[in-house]
């Protein structure tokens, strides 16, 4: 088999990159470890920066997002029993779109199939090889046969546990990591959202987040112990704890119901440098992970895709290599800014086991300052709606 760009991973990064390249006549093959049903069964991100939305439209897959996505011009922040709003539109002239990653992935798969793009599911033993030559290739097992895919470039879009990052020689790779002493217990329920916008809550019992997917599908999270398992939390116990972490009048409005999905995600900050090795480029979670507090995971995958796609188009159409040569440096500059924002939001809104009374007072003062200072609110809003690509 031969293609121009071999894409390892059929998640949002790989699919969005594939669709944008296909729009420019650049041939790709996507190699995905799981079935399409498994990929589409994942419940993950919910908030899209307008930069991401622009890429979806550029890829020709923005129609359902524009029809069903919900524009959010601000967000609520709750602490000490009160609630204040950060007005994105007033402070930045920008907004975000609430449209689940599951739907993004579904739209991208539909578009890829309509465009006749090749996606191979249930590939195992995927191995990128000869990366530091002009003739890289990928080998893998598919339908019981060993397959070799020759290509010009490899995009490692295989998430945190994929093989691409490991294919960068250890002596070349530097990995930066920060773990957090808690996780997020998330549920999905077919209930109307408690408010029209998201609410991020810092309470003396820990963090909570009220989010949504549509007018009758809500997504809620509470900070939980790393030792917790989803089965430790009956729905009733979840709802009771969530209400205790929200302002009273918000808790009173909360419509509860059976969970249709319940999972726990650990929080992690992680960056791999560089994001390129020879003819292979890392993109999305393969290169970096952020705690979901700033809604930056999926959105930072999108900015990687933006830089990589433009670099590849310039290579194939104009014989220019600068975009690809500067990809890692350019992507990492924005990645570290989203790492900082996600780390900052996590520190502002969560309760840490080792916090002293002094720490708690400083955290409360930061939230109080944010509630009353326009410059502080603008700084948060600029990061939340998305820094420029
Ligand atoms: P993905 O992990 O989505 O996709 C990688 C793909 O590669 C997968 O389909 C995988 O099956 C495939 N793959 C892996 N190994 C392979 C191999 N060996 N061969 C072939 N294919 C292989 N972000 C937010 O902004 N907000 C959130 O609330 C949020 N919640 C999250 C909850 C969880 C549990 C997780 C894990 C992540 C969450 N994220 C969130 C981050 C998430 O949305 C990622 O940023 C996003 O999925 C990144 O997309 P990809 O880079 O495509 O990686
Ligand atoms: C979600 O809706 O899943 C979501 C929204 C905002 C976040 C994290 C998750 O910061």
């Amino acid at each position: 088999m031969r293609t121009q760009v071999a894409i390892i991973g059929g998640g949002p990064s790989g699919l969005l990159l594939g669709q944008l390249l296909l729009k420019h006549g650049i041939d790709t093959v996507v190699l995905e470890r799981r079935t399409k049903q498994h990929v589409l069964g994942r419940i993950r991100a919910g908030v899209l920066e307008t930069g991401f939305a622009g890429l979806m439209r550029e890829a020709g897959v923005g129609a359902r997002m524009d029809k069903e996505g919900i524009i959010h011009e601000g967000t609520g922040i709750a602490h000490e029993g009160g609630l204040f709003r950060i007005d994105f539109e007033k402070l930045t002239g920008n907004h975000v779109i609430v449209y689940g990653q599951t739907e993004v992935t579904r739209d991208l798969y539909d578009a890829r199939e309509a465009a006749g793009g090749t996606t191979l599911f249930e590939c195992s033993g995927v191995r990128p090889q000869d990366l530091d030559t002009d003739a890289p290739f990928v080998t893998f097992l598919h339908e019981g046969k060993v397959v070799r895919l020759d290509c010009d470039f490899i995009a490692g879009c295989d998430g945190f546990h994929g093989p691409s990052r490991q294919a960068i020689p250890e002596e070349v790779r530097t990995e930066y990591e920060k773990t957090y002493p808690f996780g997020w217990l998330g549920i999905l329920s077919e209930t109307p959202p408690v408010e029209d916008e998201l609410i991020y809550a810092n309470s003396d019992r820990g963090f909570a987040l009220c989010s949504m997917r549509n007018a009758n599908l809500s997504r809620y999270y509470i900070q939980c112990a790393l030792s917790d398992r989803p089965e430790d939390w009956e729905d009733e116990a979840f709802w009771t704890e969530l209400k205790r972490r929200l302002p009273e009048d918000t808790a009173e409005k909360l419509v509860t119901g059976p969970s249709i999905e319940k999972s726990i995600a650990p929080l992690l900050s992680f960056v791999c440098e560089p994001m390129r090795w020879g003819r292979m480029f890392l993109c999305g979670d393969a290169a970096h992970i952020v705690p979901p507090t700033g809604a930056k995971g999926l959105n930072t995958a999108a900015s990687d895709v933006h830089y990589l796609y433009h670099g590849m188009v310039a290579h194939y159409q104009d014989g220019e290599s600068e975009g690809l040569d500067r990809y890692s440096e350019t992507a990492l500059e924005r990645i570290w800014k989203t790492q900082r924002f996600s780390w900052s939001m996590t520190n502002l809104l969560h309760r840490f086991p080792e916090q002293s009374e002094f720490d708690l007072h400083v955290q409360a003062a930061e939230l109080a300052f944010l509630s009353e200072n326009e410059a502080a609110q603008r700084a948060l809003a600029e990061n939340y709606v998305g820094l420029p690509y």
Side-chain angles (χ1 to χ4, degrees):
M1 273 182 95
R2 178 161 178 82
T3 186
Q4 289 174 296
V5 181
I7 298 176
I8 304 176
S13 295
L15 293 169
L16 182 55
L17 177 66
Q19 200 55 29
L20 287 161
L21 293 176
L22 275 176
K23 294 290 277 186
H24 286 266
I26 297 168
D27 187 59
T28 63
V29 170
V30 170
L31 306 176
E32 167 54 48
R33 182 179 57 176
R34 302 289 193 160
T35 64
K36 178 178 161 187
Q37 289 64 32
H38 183 98
V39 177
L40 290 174
R42 294 177 184 138
I43 306 293
R44 288 193 180 164
V47 173
L48 307 184
E49 294 174 355
T50 44
F52 191 122
L55 281 174
M56 289 285 282
R57 296 183 193 108
E58 194 174 338
V61 292
R64 196 162 72 99
M65 174 194 71
D66 286 331
K67 184 162 166 271
E68 298 176 16
I70 311 165
I71 288 180
H72 278 205
E73 297 183 347
T75 189
I77 294 187
H79 80 115
E80 294 184 345
L83 182 68
F84 64 94
R85 182 169 184 262
I86 307 275
D87 188 335
F88 303 146
E89 202 58 47
K90 185 187 90 176
L91 294 162
T92 70
N94 202 349
H95 56 266
V96 292
I97 296 176
V98 169
Y99 188 67
Q101 174 173 326
T102 309
E103 304 319 313
V104 165
T105 311
R106 195 190 313 282
D107 294 341
L108 286 164
Y109 268 122
D110 290 350
R112 185 167 181 82
E113 284 159 15
T118 305
T119 306
L120 300 180
F121 293 100
E122 296 184 281
C123 298
S124 58
V126 173
R127 279 187 59 224
Q129 301 181 51
D130 282 9
L131 302 175
D132 51 353
T133 72
D134 289 345
F137 62 95
V138 184
T139 53
F140 56 96
L141 205 57
H142 185 249
E143 293 173 351
K145 295 196 200 80
V146 177
V147 183
R148 172 177 165 135
L149 175 61
D150 289 289
C151 52
D152 301 332
F153 298 106
I154 296 169
C157 301
D158 44 343
F160 187 62
H161 301 291
S164 297
R165 186 174 68 251
Q166 309 304 329
I168 300 178
E170 245 182 281
E171 63 276 15
V172 172
R173 242 182 315 150
T174 305
E175 298 185 348
Y176 304 87
E177 182 168 311
K178 179 176 184 58
T179 58
Y180 297 86
F182 40 71
W184 277 21
L185 166 61
I187 73 158
L188 206 54
S189 61
E190 288 170 330
T191 54
V194 67
E195 283 292 353
D196 293 343
E197 293 179 336
L198 273 59
I199 298 176
Y200 289 85
N202 172 318
S203 84
D204 57 8
R205 298 180 64 86
F207 169 81
L209 170 60
C210 302
S211 185
M212 64 200 71
R213 292 293 177 270
N214 60 48
N216 197 40
L217 192 60
S218 295
R219 180 75 169 156
Y220 293 106
Y221 297 95
I222 58 173
Q223 172 185 344
C224 67
L226 280 175
S227 53
D228 280 7
R229 297 166 305 159
E231 55 270 30
D232 298 339
W233 285 85
E234 294 294 326
D235 286 0
E236 211 38 56
F238 178 89
W239 293 120
T240 302
E241 187 57 38
L242 175 64
K243 287 179 180 174
R244 296 175 75 173
R245 300 189 184 188
L246 297 173
E248 255 178 55
D249 51 354
T250 305
E252 276 160 19
K253 291 192 285 187
L254 185 71
V255 177
T256 64
S259 60
I260 58 172
E261 191 270 352
K262 193 182 287 178
S263 55
I264 291 181
L267 274 63
L268 176 69
S269 298
F270 175 88
V271 179
C272 170
E273 292 187 0
M275 289 173 61
R276 173 185 188 175
W277 176 247
R279 291 280 182 129
M280 183 184 74
F281 299 85
L282 300 184
C283 191
D285 277 17
H288 44 77
I289 297 285
V290 282
T293 327
K296 290 300 159 213
L298 182 58
N299 289 302
T300 309
S303 49
D304 293 350
V305 167
H306 167 86
Y307 299 129
L308 188 52
Y309 135 69
H310 280 288
M312 286 186 169
V313 169
H315 166 84
Y316 281 110
Q317 289 184 356
D318 314 324
E320 282 287 319
S321 67
E322 193 196 354
L324 291 180
D325 293 344
R326 296 194 64 247
Y327 167 72
S328 183
E329 174 195 345
T330 308
L332 282 165
E333 189 182 336
R334 188 178 189 274
I335 285 161
W336 277 110
K337 290 173 185 168
T338 61
Q339 288 285 340
R340 182 215 60 86
F341 177 66
S342 305
W343 165 85
S344 158
M345 284 282 274
T346 303
N347 279 284
L348 178 69
L349 295 165
H350 290 75
R351 294 299 168 98
F352 289 71
E354 76 285 357
Q355 267 175 320
S356 66
E357 281 307 311
F358 175 83
D359 297 333
L360 289 169
H361 275 75
V362 165
Q363 190 183 58
E366 189 172 354
L367 282 160
F369 181 66
L370 181 63
S371 72
E372 63 205 20
N373 184 278
E374 186 167 303
Q377 292 189 7
R378 178 171 287 108
L380 186 149
E382 291 286 2
N383 279 280
Y384 195 92
V385 299
L387 298 176
Y389 286 173

